[in-house]
Amino acid sequence: MSSTSLTEGPLPQHIRNIALPLSVGFFFNTMYNVVDSFYAGQVSTSALAAMALSFPVFFIIIALSEGVARGTSALVAGAIGAKDQAKEQTLTVQVFSLGAIFAVLVTFTGLTAATPLFKIMGASGESLDVAVEYITPLFIGSSFFLLSSLSNAILLAHGDSKTFSKVLVVGFFLNLIFNPWFLYGGFGVPALGIAGIAWATVLIQALGGLFIFSTVLRRGYLSFGQLFKQMPQLKIYRDILRQGIPTSFSFMSIALGFFVTTYYLNTYSDVAVAAFGVGTRIEQIALLPAIGLGSAIVSIVGQNNGAGKMNRVEECVRLCVKYGFFLIVLASVLIFVFANQLVGVFTEDLAVIEAGARYVKIMAFIQWSYVMTFIYTGFLQAVKRPGYGLIESVIRKIILPMSVSYVLVSVMNVGLDSFWFGLVCINAVMAVVTILYGQWTLKKLVADSL
């Protein structure tokens, strides 16, 4: 069984080896979504709207997959660091059996609840039909999303982020082939329309998930026979869910927060909503290195925390903060200077370009807060304190935006720029709270280890 020990060797190299491949992979994954949007736009405006409408519903799959995966990485990394091979093996087996249960529940619940959820969101007629047509294949193939995320969680706990990165890059190029093929038909495949875009994603997830899972088997982190020998252990399930569920709900709050902001932006104009949509895409690209650092810290801190090497935990946090701050300052300067050009990549509407550029320039001053949040919540996840991430997400993405936006829009009737500055203040305040809590937790752990 080969594994990368993150408890020895230079930490800067470990951080670079994990974060860099993930950043590259996530970039191609972002471009993957752009390709999907492009081809949906080729079908019709209704198809593009259906994809946007499906995002928060589909995000349930992503949230569950990523939440359980992050929790798994932290637990397995801790077992690796403690050199507890029996616990590592048990966790690995149990997380896949738990994933199988989740897959059945997500598929059944999704197929049953999709139509009522779309109706609650205001969809009807053609928009409802197209949204259901698009989301159905995704729920049918939800097991592959879970297989991919959970298999990657095992590899990431062992310090391997390159395998998943390669899968994301290859998936992007496959999407360029499968999307038009399934959309328009050919070579024995009928024209599937908007559902073809979803089936292309399911196929790519299946290929990627099976490849990553085979890598887990090939490296000896799991034997196929173990999956059928061990009975489900509720205590292990509880440990995994205790780590994963807060992170899952944290991910879900992203979609809810998007709804809150969009609701109030609708009081300004469609241009404001479009500017927000384009601006957030640009922010996502700028934050890719930070996302890589947030994932790296879970693996590195997880192993070193398990090994009781708190000096390396402290150094890892310090280095990630240093690297993250440097990278985001550079990215913030670039998106501020080239705001108009970047927004122009996504739209030709001059009004949207102007409003989107204003949004990007204002939010460039707050990108550091996202980076610090990624790093410190990743650290807290790694030391088995995931609850704060849920609380922080609910307050920052739902409670404060709802209350502050109500005051700004409904009471004070402020302009759009002032609304953006309200979001800046929310994120700045919560980032400072997160940094203070993260540092307090770190110092307490170091003191307790002495």
Side-chain angles (χ1 to χ4, degrees):
M1 178 187 295
S2 61
S3 179
T4 300
S5 175
L6 304 175
T7 60
E8 305 290 341
L11 284 171
Q13 182 179 339
H14 289 319
I15 294 171
R16 184 170 58 251
N17 288 344
I18 296 175
L20 185 58
L22 282 176
S23 299
V24 173
F26 286 138
F27 171 78
F28 278 92
N29 193 53
T30 301
M31 293 300 102
Y32 181 110
N33 295 327
V34 171
V35 171
D36 275 1
S37 297
F38 171 80
Y39 279 106
Q42 300 301 301
V43 177
S44 66
T45 301
S46 295
L48 194 59
M51 185 173 287
L53 190 67
S54 299
F55 169 74
V57 180
F58 171 61
F59 205 77
I60 295 171
I61 302 176
I62 303 300
L64 286 172
S65 300
E66 290 304 311
V68 177
R70 287 277 291 241
T72 300
S73 278
L75 291 173
V76 174
I80 294 170
K83 300 190 184 321
D84 189 341
Q85 192 171 4
K87 184 177 181 180
E88 176 198 335
Q89 289 280 331
T90 300
L91 282 167
T92 302
V93 173
Q94 293 296 312
V95 77
F96 281 109
S97 65
L98 178 61
I101 296 171
F102 266 33
V104 173
L105 291 175
V106 168
T107 299
F108 176 78
T109 305
L111 293 176
T112 304
T115 299
L117 281 173
F118 285 137
K119 288 181 178 178
I120 291 173
M121 294 163 65
S124 61
E126 182 186 359
S127 64
L128 175 62
D129 294 338
V130 175
V132 172
E133 183 183 355
Y134 174 74
I135 203 72
T136 297
L138 297 178
F139 278 119
I140 291 174
S142 62
S143 58
F144 297 117
F145 290 87
L146 282 158
L147 179 65
S148 178
S149 292
L150 297 181
S151 299
N152 178 57
I154 303 303
L155 295 184
L156 199 57
H158 286 268
D160 173 19
S161 65
K162 293 180 181 177
T163 300
F164 187 58
S165 177
K166 291 174 183 176
V167 167
L168 292 178
V169 173
V170 172
F172 166 77
F173 288 105
L174 287 177
N175 201 36
L176 292 174
I177 299 171
F178 290 166
N179 257 353
W181 183 15
F182 290 5
L183 178 62
Y184 301 116
F187 300 101
V189 177
L192 298 173
I194 186 67
I197 297 176
W199 281 118
T201 293
V202 170
L203 178 57
I204 291 168
Q205 285 291 327
L207 294 172
L210 290 170
F211 175 77
I212 302 172
F213 182 64
S214 70
T215 302
V216 172
L217 295 175
R218 189 171 63 252
R219 293 185 183 172
Y221 303 148
L222 173 72
S223 69
F224 198 73
Q226 287 177 300
L227 291 173
F228 305 98
K229 289 180 180 178
Q230 280 194 23
M231 293 293 292
Q233 297 184 28
L234 297 183
K235 182 181 182 303
I236 301 295
Y237 281 5
R238 187 171 63 250
D239 291 342
I240 294 171
L241 293 176
R242 187 182 292 124
Q243 280 286 112
I245 292 301
T247 306
S248 292
F249 278 104
S250 176
F251 273 98
M252 289 181 191
S253 70
I254 295 173
L256 293 173
F258 189 87
F259 272 130
V260 171
T261 302
T262 302
Y263 172 82
Y264 283 101
L265 284 175
N266 274 317
T267 64
Y268 291 97
S269 65
D270 290 340
V271 169
V273 175
F276 176 65
V278 172
T280 52
R281 286 186 181 181
I282 293 170
E283 287 183 292
Q284 287 173 356
I285 296 172
L287 288 168
L288 289 174
I291 296 173
L293 287 171
S295 298
I297 204 170
V298 173
S299 303
I300 299 171
V301 169
Q303 282 200 23
N304 284 282
N305 182 58
K309 297 187 175 182
M310 297 310 300
N311 60 320
R312 287 176 65 84
V313 169
E314 189 173 28
E315 184 184 357
C316 180
V317 174
R318 181 182 62 79
L319 287 171
C320 285
V321 168
K322 175 183 173 182
Y323 297 156
F325 190 77
F326 172 78
L327 290 170
I328 203 58
V329 166
L330 179 61
S332 297
V333 170
L334 291 174
I335 65 174
F336 182 90
V337 173
F338 297 105
N340 289 75
Q341 292 86 339
L342 289 169
V343 176
V345 171
F346 295 92
T347 179
E348 296 179 354
D349 188 316
L350 294 179
V352 175
I353 291 175
E354 181 181 357
R358 288 286 298 169
Y359 171 83
V360 170
K361 287 181 178 179
I362 291 171
M363 300 307 288
F365 290 98
I366 204 62
Q367 297 304 302
W368 62 269
S369 70
Y370 301 134
V371 176
M372 295 302 110
T373 300
F374 284 140
I375 290 172
Y376 278 102
T377 54
F379 154 71
L380 292 167
Q381 177 94 57
V383 295
K384 303 178 183 178
R385 286 168 171 77
Y388 175 81
L390 171 60
I391 297 170
E392 187 274 341
S393 292
V394 171
I395 294 174
R396 179 168 62 91
K397 296 171 185 154
I398 301 175
I399 295 176
L400 285 180
M402 286 180 67
S403 54
V404 172
S405 296
Y406 174 79
V407 172
L408 291 176
V409 177
S410 302
V411 178
M412 299 177 64
N413 195 27
V414 302
L416 186 57
D417 280 2
S418 296
F419 181 85
W420 300 140
F421 279 113
L423 297 182
V424 166
C425 292
I426 290 171
N427 284 284
V429 169
M430 288 307 300
V432 171
V433 171
T434 298
I435 292 170
L436 292 175
Y437 179 75
Q439 280 294 321
W440 176 82
T441 303
L442 178 59
K443 290 178 180 177
K444 187 174 186 301
L445 288 172
V446 171
D448 289 346
S449 68
L450 298 177

